[in-house]
Structures are given as C-alpha cells and as structure tokens.
C-alpha cells in the first residue's frame, strides 16, 4: 500500500476517515466516494482492471488501498457466484487466433454456450462456453497463461 | 539428468519421490486433484497443477490432463509412483511420443509382465523357476482335466488378465473342476473383460518372498535381496520384512542371481520386483511388478541404497554404478502398513487427524504424507503411512518395532496400529514362523473378520 508523507502546510491526514471510506467502497461496490468536510476533501476511488482510472490531480492525499492495478473485485474470485472455472489443464487464449479480436471483453453481454476463450492442450483447441447468460465483469487470466483445473477464468454476473 | 520431474501420484509415495528429487536438485511439479490441494507434497513442490476433481479416473488416471500438465510446466520426466498409471504401457508410450521420459521400464516390458501368462512363459524361458501349470491358457475343461492329472490336486484356476490377488480360484479335487472352471471363466469375464484362464499347482502353506531388482537398460542388472511379505489379508500385504526369516545367504544369493541374470538378458530398465511363492526350499515365480513397490523402504533400510534415486538415475540414461558384490545387507528391517481402518472390522475410517505424533529415534523411519490437522480424503486408498524399523538383528528390530508402535499417536481416525501392536507380540511372528494364510487364520482365531 503506497503511503505519502505529510508536507508542511497540509492539514493532518485523517487516516481513519480514508480507511472508513475505503471500507464503504468495498461494502457498497461503488467505484468512487468523495467527501468534503471542513475545507478538506477526500476522494477514494477504485481502478477497474484493464481500463485504468480517471486521472485526477495529486490533491488526494493518500491513494486508496484498493487502487492497485488489476485489483480483484472480490477478495477470492473462486468464491464469487458468477465465477467460470477452468474444466481442464492447458494454456488459455483469449482470441480465436493470434492477432484476432478477443472472444469477449469486460462489459460484454454473453448468452449461455457462447465461447469465452480457448484452452489449448497438446495442440487441441477447446472452446470454453459460457455456463450462464450475463455480463463479463472480470477476466482473470491473460492471453497465453497456463491454467489448471478449477482455476477461476472469468466472472459473469 | 532431468531438470524437472512431474510426480504423477499422491500420498506418501508422491512425497517420497519429491524427497529424492530435492536431494538430486531436480525441480518438482506436483499434480493433484481438488481433494489433495492440502497434500504435503503439493505444499513442498516447486510447482503444482490441479488436474481434476477427486475421482481418480478424472485426475490421477486422466492421461490428457497429465500430458497437459507436462506441457504447461515444461517437465521433462514423469515419475508414476505405484498403482495408478505406473504399469500402464500406453501411458509410458504416449509420454515418449511427447518427449517426456517415463521413469520406469520400457513399455514392452511393462506389457510383457502385465500379461500374467506371457510373464510366466518369459520367466520360464529366462530360467526362473515357475509354478507347474498349464504353460498357457486353457481352452477347455477337458484340457484342464488332462493337466490336472499331470500336476495333481490341489490346483488353482487363475485369470490371465487378473493379478494382485484377483481372479483366482482353488480346486481341491477332480469332482469340483468342471463347475469351478465354468464359474471362474464367467467371473474373469465380468471382472476383467477377458475370460482367459490358466492353471497352476496350488501351494498350501507357502511364503511370499520377492526379489528387488535394478537394471540400467543396457544389460547391467543387480538384485538387492528379498523381502518376505507373507503376512497378508485378502491378498493385500500388511507387514513386510527383510531378510526373510526363512532364507539363508546361499539361498538368497542363488535366487537373486537367477533373477538378476534374467534381467540382464532382457536388458531391463529401472526397478522391478520378481515375486515368488516359496515352499519346502523351492521358489515358484508368480508375477513381476515393473515399478517401485510400496515396501521398497525395507530394502533401503538394510542396503542403504536409495531406490528412487537409482530409478531416476537409470531413467536419465545413467549406467548402473553398483556392482553386485557392492550390495551388502546389514541388519534387519520390518515395515508395517498403517491404514485408516478400524483394526477389528477393517472398515475405512477417513477423516481429520487431530493429533499426530510419529515415533522417532535410531532406526525408525515413517514414510507418510499425513500431518497434524490433515484430513484423509475418502476417495483413495486408506494408507496413513508406513512405519519401517531397522535393527542390527531381527530381535533388536522387533523390540524397536514394539517401542515405535507404542509411541505412534494418530488421533481423530481409527487406524490398524492396534493390530500391529498385537502382531509384534505374537509368538509365530516373533519366531518368523508364518505363511501367506497365517494372518487370516490369526484374525479368525481372534474372532476378527478375515
């Protein structure tokens, strides 16, 4: 977790307030909370993976503990009810061919049975179908990443 | 030498193989089912790959998953342990096709010894004494009758596709032969999909004595002495010891050299065990196992030779560096296979081990993957671990075994430790006077299920 030391002239940093806001973020699933009180404003934001956060000036005194690249939405993705787990061992490819557009991207709406990715093992390509309809809210593996049985691949809500 | 070995097994043997790899500086890949995520060897391995759900057929027997795991981990060799795919010639071949070395014999020898009729024929041709019998499958009941006249009763009908104690039937007199033949055929077909039978003289009170061999695949092979595994329940070995209380040095050297010579002739690669029934001073070949065996530590304790290490070395193309005259036997060792079973009913008892204290001290070895807080899964065999004890003499070994058994604590599940505590105090066992039916007779006498 990044920390920034107080610079002279700045009001005392209310770590408690920031922690409280970060906790609220997690609990509510919001992506950003901003609070102004007594002339001091605090903004706590979550950057979703792949899209980068909205850039803002360095007025926010301390980055929220959850703004880490590729932060998981849930602490343990395998426990998420919308998780799609790998049915096999192999190498995951997100597109049908090298250079082609990926099967799905974050935010895509999928129907049951629609191909989400390919897992290759011993030169055979196996399409991984969506087990249920919904929105792809997270892709948990990178193109070309080895995967094991049961490994969380995506979250579809 | 290999850079990375994938361990295609679980439990205590996976941990055993991992230990050898670590000592050789070889990277380890532990494959496991979802039920074995917390296995000790998985925790200690350099990498792990989950290959499937608990059922063995979907995980440890799942050849595509194992191959894929080799691919993504870059393993250049696979150690199959015992059981599972360790004697699957097709698996060995497929690995070879994918440029991954199978740590074991060549597929042709796995196949040869997997067919019990062919194995017996090969043994006979190689000068290994066999049980008098049909020399091949028996096509008809009439043929069986003719052979029975030559060999005499009692005799045993055996399924060619059986092995490991399965698919066998005793016939004590001529009047039983016809119906025994018909039902043995039907049972073999149902159990193994193959109703081919062969016939052997039945030995009434033999000992089970097996010879450990090691070959480098280039024509050099040695024997590493015998193990006496006569104490069995339902054809499963329970207590093994070496040297056998029944053999002297001359007999050991004799049968050992006969077997080693045969292994040289076929240029056998790897470790193997040639199993015999022994009665009235004579050895009778029953089968050969082309893999490392559960009871290999008995041999290790009296020869001070690491069999897994030797297996890996010869599989990597190394020459056999041990000469027969360099193999020395020191002292006596006994192994007890401790199962998670009720010691009286033998009902399986999987579950969480809430307190674990293995015995220690000079000459005490525990090969087990179990640990304090570990939960034994219900999907696989019930072996908790092996207690192997060594002493300078058989008496010292027995004293140490009693002490070690008494010290061993496994709480939270039932184990067969009480059975071993009783055996270590039983006169016939102390005198070494037993045979392959002894344990079942003992259990029957004690009013326990056989």
């Amino acid at each position: 977790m990044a920390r920034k030391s107080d610079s002279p002239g700045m009001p005392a940093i209310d770590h408690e307030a920031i922690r409280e806001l970060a906790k609220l973020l997690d609990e509510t699933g919001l992506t950003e909370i901003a609070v102004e009180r007594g002339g001091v404003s605090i903004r706590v934001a979550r950057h979703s993976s792949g899209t980068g956060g909205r850039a803002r000036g360095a007025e926010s005194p301390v980055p929220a503990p959850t703004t880490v690249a590729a932060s998981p939405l849930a602490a343990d993705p395998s426990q998420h009810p919308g998780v799609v787990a790998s049915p096999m061992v192999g190498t995951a490819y997100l597109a049908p061919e090298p250079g082609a557009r990926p099967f799905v991207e974050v935010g895509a709406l999928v129907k049951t049975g629609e191909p989400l990715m390919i897992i290759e093992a011993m030169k055979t390509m196996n399409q991984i179908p969506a087990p249920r309809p919904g929105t792809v809210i997270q892709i948990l593996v990178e193109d070309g990443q080895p995967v094991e049985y049961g490994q969380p691949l995506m979250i579809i809500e | 030498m290999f850079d990375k070995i994938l361990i295609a097994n679980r439990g205590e043997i996976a941990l055993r193989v991992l230990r050898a790899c670590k000592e050789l500086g070889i990277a380890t890949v532990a494959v496991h089912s979802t039920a074995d995520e917390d296995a000790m060897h998985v925790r200690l391995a350099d990498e792990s790959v989950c290959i499937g759900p608990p059922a063995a057929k979907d995980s440890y027997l799942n050849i595509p998953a194992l191959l894929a795991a080799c691919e993504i981990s870059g393993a250049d060799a696979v150690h199959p342990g015992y059981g599972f795919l360790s004697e699957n010639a097709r698996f060995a071949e497929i690995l070879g096709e994918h440029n991954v070395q199978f740590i074991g014999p060549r597929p042709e020898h796995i196949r040869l010894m997997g067919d019990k009729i062919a194995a017996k024929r090969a043994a006979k041709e190689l000068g290994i004494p066999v049980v008098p019998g049909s020399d091949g499958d028996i096509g008809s009941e009439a043929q069986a009758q003719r052979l029975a006249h030559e060999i005499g009763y009692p005799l045993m009908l055996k399924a060619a596709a059986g092995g490991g104690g399965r698919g066998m039937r005793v016939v004590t007199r001529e009047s039983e032969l016809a119906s025994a033949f018909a039902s043995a055929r039907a049972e073999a077909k149902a159990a193994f999909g193959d109703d081919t039978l062969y016939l052997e003289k039945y030995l009434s009170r033999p000992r089970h004595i097996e010879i450990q061999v090691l070959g480098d695949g280039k024509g050099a092979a040695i024997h590493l002495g015998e193990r006496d595994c006569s104490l069995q329940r339902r054809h499963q070995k329970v207590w093994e010891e070496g040297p056998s209380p029944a053999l002297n040095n001359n007999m050991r050297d004799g049968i050992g050299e006969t077997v080693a010579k045969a292994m040289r002739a076929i240029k056998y690669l790897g470790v193997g065990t040639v199993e015999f029934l022994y009665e009235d001073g004579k050895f009778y070949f029953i089968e050969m196992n082309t893999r490392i065996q559960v009871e290999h530590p008995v041999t290790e304790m009296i020869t001070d030779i690491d069999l897994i290490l030797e297996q890996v070395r010869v599989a990597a193309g190394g020459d056999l560096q041990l000469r027969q005259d360099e193999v020395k036997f020191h002292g006596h060792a006994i192994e007890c296979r401790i199962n998670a079973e009720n010691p009286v009913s033998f009902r399986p008892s999987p579950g969480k081990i809430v307190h674990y204290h293995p015995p220690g001290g000079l000459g005490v070895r525990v090969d087990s993957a179990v640990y304090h807080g570990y939960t034994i899964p219900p999907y696989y065999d019930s072996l908790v671990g092996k207690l192997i004890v060594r002493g300078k003499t058989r008496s010292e070994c027995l004293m140490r075994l009693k002490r070690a058994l008494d010290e061993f604590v496994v709480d939270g599940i039932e184990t067969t430790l009480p059975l071993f505590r009783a055996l270590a105090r039983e006169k016939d066992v102390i005198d070494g006077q037993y045979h392959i039916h002894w344990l079942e007779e003992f259990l029957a006498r004690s009013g326990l299920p056989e």
Side-chain angles (χ1 to χ4, degrees), chain B residues 135-259:
Chain B
D135 279 357
D137 64 297
I138 0 168
S140 66
E141 195 233 301
Q143 191 188 356
Q145 292 273 17
R146 276 197 303 278
L147 278 162
H149 279 297
E150 285 172 33
I151 301 169
Y153 290 86
L155 50 82
M156 181 119 90
L157 288 166
K158 291 172 123 172
R166 299 175 62 208
M168 312 188 318
R169 193 193 210 80
V170 182
V171 184
T172 50
R173 60 182 76 84
E174 197 174 327
S175 52
E176 292 171 13
L177 185 58
S179 63
F181 186 77
S183 46
R185 263 231 152 114
E187 280 169 23
K189 183 87 188 170
F192 313 112
D194 179 351
D195 66 359
T196 312
L197 297 180
Y198 64 111
L199 190 154
E200 282 183 347
K201 175 181 169 68
Y202 177 68
L203 304 165
S204 55
R205 290 175 119 62
R207 301 183 82 110
H208 172 117
I209 296 183
E210 57 189 40
I211 307 289
Q212 177 70 55
V213 297
L214 170 66
D216 65 4
K218 303 170 190 171
I222 55 173
H223 76 86
L224 291 115
E226 83 280 15
R227 294 181 293 257
D228 190 321
C229 311
S230 305
L231 293 174
Q232 301 178 11
R233 177 180 173 264
R234 296 191 183 173
H235 303 289
Q236 295 302 302
K237 297 165 185 170
V238 154
W239 161 308
E240 306 103 353
E241 59 179 299
S244 168
L247 299 188
N248 60 33
N249 290 341
N250 281 344
M251 299 161 89
R252 169 176 315 111
D253 292 344
I255 192 65
E257 179 50 27
T258 300
V259 165

Side-chain angles (χ1 to χ4, degrees), chain A residues 89-91 120-123 146-149, chain B residues 34 48-53 67-68 71-72:
Chain A
V89 181
T91 306
E120 180 255 324
M122 295 170 301
K123 313 289 179 276
V147 295
E148 59 182 4
Y149 176 86
Chain B
T34 50
S48 70
V49 181
C50 181
I51 52 171
L67 283 169
E71 210 176 49
I72 66 171

Side-chain angles (χ1 to χ4, degrees), chain A residues 9-12 14 35-43 59-61:
Chain A
M10 279 206 65
D14 190 349
V35 165
E36 201 203 292
R37 191 169 54 200
V40 177
S41 67
I42 302 176
R43 178 185 149 258
E59 300 95 276
S60 349

Side-chain angles (χ1 to χ4, degrees), chain A residues 51-136:
Chain A
T51 57
R54 257 178 317 160
R56 263 293 264 263
E59 300 95 276
S60 349
V62 173
T66 46
T67 31
V68 171
S71 62
L73 285 174
D76 180 7
S78 67
Q79 301 306 309
H80 194 291
V83 71
V84 179
S86 178
M88 58 182 284
V89 181
T91 306
Y93 294 110
L94 302 179
E97 278 155 12
R101 293 196 60 231
F103 284 100
V104 295
E105 280 168 353
V106 173
L109 232 59
V110 295
K111 296 194 272 292
T112 303
E114 212 175 296
L116 300 174
M117 64 172 71
I118 282 173
I119 296 185
E120 180 255 324
M122 295 170 301
K123 313 289 179 276
T124 55
M125 305 294 171
N126 304 273
Q127 283 195 352
I128 307 302
R132 69 191 81 84
T135 310
V136 176

